[in-house]
Amino acid sequence: MLPASSEGAGGWRPLVFAHRGSSRTHAEHTLDAYLLAIEEGADGLECDVRLTRDGHLVCLHDSRIDRTSDGKGRVSTQTLAELDRFDFASWRADPPNELIVERSHGDERVRGRLLTLDRLLGVATDAGRPMRVLIETKHPVRYGGAVEAALLRLLRRYGLDRPDPERPLQVTVMSFSTNAVKRVHQQAPDLPTVMLIDVWSVPSRIGRLPPGSSIGGPGVQLLRAAPELVERLHRRGHPVYVWTVNEPDEVDLVVKLRVDGIISDRPAYVMDRLRELGHRN
């Protein structure tokens, strides 16, 4: 089981999570992006989830598919089969040739296909090594608490609704919604939860998180303005996972603050930088 952070060569080793997969290289939330993150050795994967009209959890950030596919419309008004017709990779220019890795999962071509959370959890399980999946439920949405209910049903099917030190794969649920975090905690009290915090919605700069929150999740821009938040959260016993850390000065900031988790579009770069600084083997 992965701890909040672990000891490295320098006495402190933050976990590195691939934000929507290795999304600087491949289109976000595609299976290629997650398979690359696993190959690169990321400690965990991060994804956003939304409910389709027929009740499937799919890995998408936006409420509409216009930005990240060749289709249009809201996720919540379309079925999984309808969404599966679209290409979710071609909106991104191909990476340099040396970075392109053609992959398949089983006999299926996966590049550009819509990714369900069910499939992502299966791939993470198949990796066969310690890994944590951070799952963010998006709000406000038309289905409200049905999102968390569907998520917990799926996690129970995988046996992931509570920590198990004997199991390589672990799950943490995140949200900017205090009600969503509270719902998860009420229905799965042992499951770790992250209260996401941005510049404009700070629950408290004294480090007191809403009920049901176990981990603080500030954005890196918030930490630029209020770096003391990390110490205050730590003082109250809350690990700190920071998003989205991509640039050298951002890595240097979170290293200085000794955060517990780093969420990045560039997990391989962040891990290399941590090695240079003596905080990863």
Side-chain angles (χ1 to χ4, degrees):
M1 175 178 172
L2 286 168
S5 62
S6 56
E7 295 301 310
W12 163 83
R13 180 188 183 276
L15 301 176
V16 177
F17 300 97
H19 183 245
R20 309 178 196 173
S22 285
S23 53
R24 181 66 65 93
T25 302
H26 290 299
E28 66 185 62
H29 285 131
T30 57
L31 194 49
D32 270 350
Y34 288 108
L35 290 172
L36 179 57
I38 292 170
E39 290 174 11
E40 290 172 335
D43 298 305
L45 312 173
E46 186 272 351
C47 68
D48 307 294
V49 294
R50 291 183 176 275
L51 266 182
T52 64
R53 180 160 59 87
D54 52 345
H56 293 274
L57 287 164
V58 292
C59 300
L60 290 170
H61 175 272
D62 301 356
S63 61
R64 300 181 61 89
I65 64 172
D66 304 44
R67 177 179 67 87
T68 57
S69 82
D70 58 355
K72 293 184 182 298
R74 293 193 172 276
V75 179
S76 60
T77 63
Q78 302 185 65
T79 66
L80 179 61
E82 289 169 337
L83 290 166
D84 202 38
R85 297 175 301 170
F86 302 119
D87 182 340
F88 285 82
S90 60
W91 64 277
R92 276 281 302 272
D94 282 335
N97 289 335
E98 65 270 17
L99 295 179
I100 295 176
V101 181
E102 292 293 343
R103 298 175 176 83
S104 62
H105 192 62
D107 294 327
E108 287 185 273
R109 293 286 300 175
V110 298
R111 187 168 180 81
R113 297 286 299 280
L114 176 69
L115 181 63
T116 64
L117 180 61
D118 192 355
R119 180 178 287 178
L120 178 59
L121 291 176
V123 169
T125 299
D126 291 346
R129 66 170 175 84
M131 192 178 306
R132 182 173 293 277
V133 177
L134 307 181
I135 303 170
E136 179 185 345
T137 63
K138 307 300 292 184
H139 290 278
V141 290
R142 71 174 59 204
Y143 297 123
V147 178
E148 283 75 38
L151 172 58
L152 291 173
R153 284 196 299 272
L154 181 60
L155 294 182
R156 290 188 188 105
R157 179 153 64 82
Y158 276 89
L160 292 169
D161 57 317
R162 59 174 59 87
D164 181 352
E166 301 302 317
R167 184 183 57 226
L169 185 63
Q170 306 289 327
V171 165
T172 295
V173 179
M174 313 192 296
S175 188
F176 283 99
S177 166
T178 57
N179 287 333
V181 170
K182 184 177 180 180
R183 281 193 291 267
V184 170
H185 180 68
Q186 288 174 337
Q187 298 175 57
D190 297 324
L191 199 64
T193 55
V194 179
M195 184 70 237
L196 293 170
I197 313 166
D198 63 21
V199 174
W200 309 113
S201 60
V202 183
S204 172
R205 289 203 176 185
I206 64 172
R208 188 187 299 276
L209 297 179
S213 312
S214 49
I215 300 166
V220 69
Q221 297 308 319
L222 173 58
L223 291 190
R224 289 188 191 280
E228 67 278 4
L229 183 58
V230 174
E231 181 183 352
R232 290 171 179 172
L233 287 166
H234 280 165
R235 193 180 304 141
R236 292 183 178 274
H238 299 297
V240 177
Y241 291 179
V242 183
W243 54 274
T244 305
V245 178
N246 291 325
E247 303 306 324
D249 62 324
E250 295 170 345
V251 177
D252 291 346
L253 174 64
V254 297
V255 166
K256 179 180 178 181
L257 296 175
R258 292 294 196 265
V259 305
D260 304 277
I262 301 173
I263 302 170
S264 176
D265 300 331
R266 308 171 65 191
Y269 165 74
V270 171
M271 291 184 290
D272 285 345
R273 179 64 177 150
L274 291 173
R275 288 187 190 99
E276 290 174 4
L277 298 172
H279 300 302
R280 196 174 183 95
N281 297 328

